[in-house]
Amino acid sequence: MYKIAVMPGDGTGPECTVEAEKVMAAAAQKFNFKFETIEFDFGGERYKRTGETLPDSGVEELRQFDAILLGAIGHPDVAPGILEKGILLKARFEMDQYINLRPVRLYPGVETPLKDKGPAEIDYVVVRENTGDLYTGAGGFTLKGTPQEVAIQTSMYTRFQVDRCLKYAFEYAQKHGKKARGIDKDNTLGLVGKTNVLTFVYDLWERAFHEMGEKDYPDIRRDYYHVDACCMWMVKNPEWFDVLVTGNMFGDIITDLGAITQGGMGLAAGGNINPDGVSMFEPIGGSAPKYTGQGVINPLAAICAMAMMLETLGELEAANAIEEAVKYVTANKLKSMSAGQMGYSTSEVGDLVAQKMTE
Ligand code: IPM
Ligand code: MN
């Protein structure tokens, strides 16, 4: 019996988690596993009511679950940063979800803005480090509000953080790389950095990357890209990539670029993973407040996030079947991936996936 915490969150988040739960229930029946969900109302509405974001007691409660499914965090009446820091980043940090796993995969029938690229070319994964870098909050102001004001925000990495992230990335490339999946002659891990300017932090990453690769994963091919060039290749030659690994800030930026190449935020899913603890899965698109309550938002990213959750829990067959059903639906059913233009309502899309999967 899996215990799943569901945090529907703000805006269209709840409409999407409902569909993910619907598909999960269908998968549980077909693949013979059991789960129970408990809902938590952390988000903008609760914050407005009580002033609370994610309290320490909430973190302690979440720790008792096997996994967490998150809808979306972000409320138009709440100043930017409060909910993001107070809920999303707090959950990631407190539960030490040090990997942010973000597949960039174009499904059949989905339109991409990249010319002449299809599902065969857009098929890679970004392993984003999820606890360090500019996200630690180290920094501050002096002389704030004066013409002499100084603002400092520090990017930090420890060898420990870098090594554990690289280890996950190498292992991931070994298990799920393009050779392992039978589509290329190598499993390849590419480090994305900026060793020409960030000569401390990415020097550490680069040294650690080659040391670990040489010693423990000699069969995995190693590539290196500067982050600016990487953005260029993500548009021009995405087929070069297999598994990419990078720090938190670059990972944040390049995965939005990746998401748009895979058909937009309606489809992009991610996992905040603690391999030894509680992981949290989310559609990476945000709360899209203007579509709230209309039943027009695309729930596929939330459904795919839930499938990633099942994979992490060890329900591989169910996770695969859901992904295949999603591919069937994008290829044969939806007119567009965009909110309001799918040709189906949010809940009908959930039904289509659930039906296909149980066939
Ligand atoms: C993401 C988001 C978050 C991040 C924000 C909302 C704090 O952009 O999950 O990519 O920067 O990590
Ligand atoms: Mn982001």
Side-chain angles (χ1 to χ4, degrees):
M1 171 76 96
Y2 300 116
K3 283 183 65 188
I4 310 295
V6 180
M7 290 167 51
D10 301 317
T12 52
E15 296 164 60
C16 293
T17 50
V18 163
E19 298 313 309
E21 288 175 74
K22 180 198 282 176
V23 175
M24 187 164 168
Q29 213 170 29
K30 171 147 187 190
F31 295 97
N32 265 316
F33 63 88
K34 287 200 167 62
F35 72 97
E36 61 174 21
T37 55
I38 293 182
E39 222 172 80
F40 291 86
D41 67 349
F42 306 120
E45 289 301 328
R46 175 173 167 143
Y47 174 74
K48 280 172 63 184
R49 228 174 35 241
T50 66
E52 225 172 31
T53 49
L54 172 59
D56 293 339
S57 61
V59 175
E60 285 319 307
E61 280 184 78
L62 291 173
R63 281 188 212 283
Q64 310 308 314
F65 287 82
D66 293 308
I68 303 162
L69 182 67
L70 174 66
I73 296 294
H75 195 294
D77 303 345
V78 181
I82 294 176
L83 302 173
E84 290 86 342
K85 270 195 173 164
I87 301 176
L88 186 62
L89 296 181
K90 181 162 179 179
R92 288 177 183 170
F93 284 123
E94 292 290 320
M95 286 180 274
D96 205 16
Q97 294 160 342
Y98 62 86
I99 298 297
N100 197 327
L101 188 66
R102 296 188 161 179
V104 181
R105 199 156 283 153
L106 182 68
Y107 287 146
V110 177
E111 212 177 314
T112 173
L114 301 188
K115 190 163 151 267
D116 301 330
K117 304 292 178 190
E121 286 80 27
I122 302 171
D123 181 14
Y124 58 97
V125 175
V126 178
V127 177
R128 166 187 173 189
E129 201 289 329
N130 214 25
T131 59
D133 208 342
L134 287 160
Y135 278 76
T136 54
F141 301 107
T142 42
L143 302 170
K144 190 172 179 186
T146 73
Q148 289 75 33
E149 176 167 352
V150 180
I152 298 177
Q153 195 115 33
T154 307
S155 162
M156 309 202 282
Y157 265 112
T158 65
R159 179 73 193 233
F160 169 78
Q161 286 174 314
V162 171
D163 275 341
R164 69 180 181 175
C165 177
L166 288 172
K167 178 164 188 281
Y168 181 93
F170 276 115
E171 299 279 336
Y172 190 90
Q174 198 156 58
K175 281 199 208 89
H176 307 283
K178 284 187 166 171
K179 181 179 177 193
R181 292 192 284 137
I183 49 187
D184 204 348
K185 65 180 202 324
D186 288 312
N187 292 323
T188 306
L189 182 62
L191 173 65
V192 179
K194 187 73 184 174
T195 52
N196 52 351
V197 176
L198 304 184
T199 50
F200 306 121
V201 160
Y202 279 99
D203 185 84
L204 169 59
W205 274 91
E206 195 179 36
R207 273 182 287 122
F209 177 62
H210 289 300
E211 265 173 46
M212 186 178 290
E214 218 160 275
K215 182 165 166 285
D216 299 329
Y217 305 95
D219 50 332
I220 296 179
R221 200 180 104 194
R222 274 170 277 142
D223 283 340
Y224 171 80
Y225 302 96
H226 289 321
V227 64
D228 45 355
C230 179
C231 290
M232 192 166 73
W233 304 128
M234 283 171 73
V235 172
K236 192 153 186 302
N237 294 106
E239 65 277 8
W240 287 356
F241 301 136
D242 185 352
V243 181
L244 295 175
V245 62
T246 190
N248 207 347
M249 189 76 255
F250 293 163
D252 175 49
I253 297 166
I254 69 171
T255 54
D256 266 30
L257 174 55
I260 204 70
T261 67
Q262 73 180 107
M265 291 306 192
L267 278 162
N272 302 279
I273 295 175
N274 177 342
D276 311 305
V278 184
S279 300
M280 178 171 76
F281 298 83
E282 52 171 339
I284 73 180
S287 60
K290 71 174 177 185
Y291 296 118
T292 305
Q294 298 172 29
V296 297
I297 199 78
N298 187 339
L300 289 177
I303 292 170
C304 290
M306 181 274 296
M308 284 178 83
M309 177 173 83
L310 288 182
E311 183 177 340
T312 309
L313 291 171
E315 296 295 333
L316 298 185
E317 237 191 318
N320 270 336
I322 293 166
E323 203 182 347
E324 288 309 311
V326 168
K327 282 186 194 164
Y328 173 82
V329 168
T330 60
N332 300 291
K333 299 287 182 185
L334 297 201
K335 283 206 210 99
S336 156
M337 299 303 131
S338 306
Q341 296 165 42
M342 299 185 292
Y344 296 92
S345 70
T346 303
S347 106
E348 284 170 337
V349 174
D351 290 340
L352 287 171
V353 177
Q355 263 160 29
K356 180 67 193 169
M357 195 205 47
T358 41
E359 259 175 23

